[in-house]
């Protein structure tokens, strides 16, 4: 440790010791004035710092009180001196209090009391008028503030009533909701069960849809084979049946004819051509139906 640090440590220790001495002396005087012993406590740096601050503030306030008291004593002495001078003047003028009638003394006392009440230095009429005007202004201000406070109180009372009404409504609603909790919980359990059933059905339907798609893929189903295309093909098939029925009837009628090989061959060839033309017409219709479906 350097010499400077040693000096600082020694100075701090002496300062702490001085503070402790001042605090002990102040505590002893304070509690002695109150007629009570100083309580036992541990002198720690924190407690010493706090008590030293209180000591400083107390000394400052005591000094201020002494100055104010001295000023009051000086003013009181001045007032006594002035009162003695005024009394002497009144006695010389024959207006001493002992020589005045009792009603005059009482009136003067009342006048002095009113002057003290109005906080004026003299009993001049102008001073009374100014004081009364000041009181009237204060009264008007107080009345205005009172009216404002009453208005605000009325508004707050209205708000309070509304708040109480809303609170009552909320409490009633809360009680109603609490009563409905059991029923709602039962309904929620029912919905939960139904949801689980629907989820199981959904999985089942998805599996069935996948199976149906696999079956359609195996049989060669394509999106071009729609219901409309099938209906149109059925209608064309009916039309083709109508066209081929007379030919079949004609062929059946040939079975009753006497056998003639040459005529029969010609008839058969003619019917084959008609049948081939009908098949070609059916293929053309199917192709056109598929192209229109796409």
């Amino acid at each position: 440790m350097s010499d400077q640090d040693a000096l600082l440590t020694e100075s701090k220790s002496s300062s702490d010791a001085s503070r402790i001495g001042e605090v002990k002396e102040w505590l002893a005087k304070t509690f002695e004035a109150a007629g009570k012993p100083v309580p036992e406590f541990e002198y720690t740096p924190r407690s010493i710092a706090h008590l030293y601050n209180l000591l400083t503030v107390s000394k400052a306030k005591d000094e201020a009180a002494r100055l104010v008291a001295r000023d009051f004593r000086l003013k009181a002495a001045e007032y006594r001196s002035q009162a003695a001078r005024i009394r002497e003047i009144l006695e010389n003028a024959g207006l001493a209090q002992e020589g005045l009638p009792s009603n005059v003394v009482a009136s003067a006392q009342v006048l002095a009391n009113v002057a003290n009440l109005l906080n004026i230095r003299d009993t001049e009429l102008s001073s009374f008028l100014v004081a009364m005007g000041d009181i009237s202004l204060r009264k008007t201000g107080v009345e205005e503030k009172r009216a404002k406070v009453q208005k605000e109180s009325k508004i707050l009372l209205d708000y309070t009533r509304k708040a109480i009404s809303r609170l009552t409504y909320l409490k009633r609603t809360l009680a109603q909701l609490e009563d409905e909790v059991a029923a709602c919980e039962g309904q929620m359990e029912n919905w939960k069960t139904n949801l689980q059933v629907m989820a199981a059905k959904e999985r089942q339907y998805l599996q069935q849809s996948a199976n149906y798609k696999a079956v359609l893929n195996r049989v060669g189903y394509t999106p071009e084979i729609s219901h409309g295309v099938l209906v149109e093909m059925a209608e064309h098939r009916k039309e083709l049946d109508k066209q081929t029925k007379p030919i079949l009837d004609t062929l059946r009628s040939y079975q009753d004819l006497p056998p003639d090989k040459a005529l029969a061959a010609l008839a058969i060839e003619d019917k084959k051509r008609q049948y081939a033309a009908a098949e070609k017409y059916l293929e053309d219709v199917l192709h056109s139906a598929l192209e229109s479906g796409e």
Side-chain angles (χ1 to χ4, degrees):
M1 181 182 294
S2 61
D3 295 339
Q4 185 176 2
D5 293 339
L7 290 174
L8 289 174
T9 303
E10 184 179 357
S11 175
K12 184 177 179 180
S13 300
S14 61
S15 175
D16 292 341
S18 175
R19 283 191 174 188
I20 292 173
E22 291 181 13
V23 167
K24 287 183 177 180
E25 182 181 359
W26 174 70
L27 288 174
K29 290 181 179 179
T30 303
F31 280 92
E32 182 180 357
K36 294 182 180 180
V38 179
E40 295 293 334
F41 64 93
E42 184 180 359
Y43 288 92
T44 61
R46 184 176 179 181
S47 63
I48 291 299
H50 182 67
L51 291 173
Y52 189 79
N53 290 333
L54 291 178
L55 182 151
T56 304
V57 174
S58 177
K59 284 185 176 180
K61 289 186 177 181
D62 289 344
E63 182 63 25
R66 280 194 294 272
L67 293 175
V68 172
R70 184 175 63 180
D71 184 62
F72 284 164
R73 284 193 294 271
L74 291 175
K75 287 182 179 180
E78 292 176 359
Y79 292 154
R80 284 193 295 270
S81 175
Q82 187 177 4
R85 185 172 59 82
I86 293 173
R87 187 180 301 108
E88 183 181 357
I89 293 172
L90 291 174
E91 289 176 354
N92 293 332
L95 299 175
Q97 181 176 353
E98 294 78 6
L100 295 175
S102 59
N103 59 346
V104 174
V105 175
S107 298
Q109 188 64 39
V110 170
L111 190 62
N113 293 334
V114 172
N116 289 329
L117 180 64
L118 296 177
N119 194 21
I120 56 179
R121 291 179 175 273
D122 52 51
T123 56
E124 295 291 337
L125 179 60
S126 58
S127 299
F128 280 103
L129 292 176
V130 171
M132 293 299 294
D134 185 53
I135 290 176
S136 298
L137 292 176
R138 291 182 181 179
K139 179 183 177 183
T140 304
V142 169
E143 289 178 350
E144 292 178 354
K145 290 181 180 179
R146 181 181 180 184
K148 183 178 179 181
V149 169
Q150 287 179 348
K151 184 177 179 181
E152 292 177 352
S153 299
K154 186 177 179 181
I155 294 173
L156 291 175
L157 182 61
D158 188 26
Y159 286 162
T160 304
R161 289 174 179 171
K162 291 180 179 179
I164 292 173
S165 176
R166 291 180 181 177
L167 179 61
T168 305
Y169 172 74
L170 289 175
K171 287 183 177 178
R172 187 166 56 250
T173 304
L174 178 61
Q176 183 179 358
L177 292 175
E178 289 177 350
D179 294 337
E180 295 177 356
V181 165
C184 292
E185 287 180 350
Q187 189 174 4
M188 288 178 64
E189 289 295 331
N190 188 19
W191 288 349
K192 185 177 180 181
T193 304
N194 293 337
L195 183 61
Q196 292 176 354
V197 173
M198 292 176 66
K201 288 291 185 183
E202 181 185 9
R203 291 191 295 270
Q204 180 182 355
Y205 293 153
L206 290 174
Q207 186 62 39
Q208 290 180 356
S209 176
N211 295 336
Y212 291 151
K213 287 182 180 179
V215 172
L216 292 175
N217 291 330
R218 284 199 302 271
V219 299
Y221 171 79
T222 59
E224 291 80 8
I225 305 176
S226 61
H227 178 70
V229 173
L230 294 175
V231 171
E232 187 176 357
M233 292 175 65
E235 292 178 353
H236 287 299
R237 185 178 182 282
K238 291 179 180 178
E239 183 67 25
L240 185 60
D241 289 340
K242 290 180 181 179
Q243 294 178 5
T244 56
K245 189 175 182 301
I247 299 173
L248 293 174
D249 293 340
T250 304
L251 290 174
R252 290 191 187 97
S253 66
Y254 286 160
Q255 294 177 359
D256 298 334
L257 296 176
D260 187 351
K261 186 176 181 180
L263 294 174
L266 290 174
I268 289 170
E269 289 296 330
D270 185 45
K271 296 301 179 183
K272 284 182 177 180
R273 284 195 300 272
Q274 293 180 5
Y275 189 76
E279 284 184 347
K280 187 175 184 305
Y281 174 73
L282 178 61
E283 290 178 359
D284 294 338
V285 170
L286 289 175
H287 284 301
S288 63
L290 290 175
E291 291 176 357
S292 62
E294 292 176 359

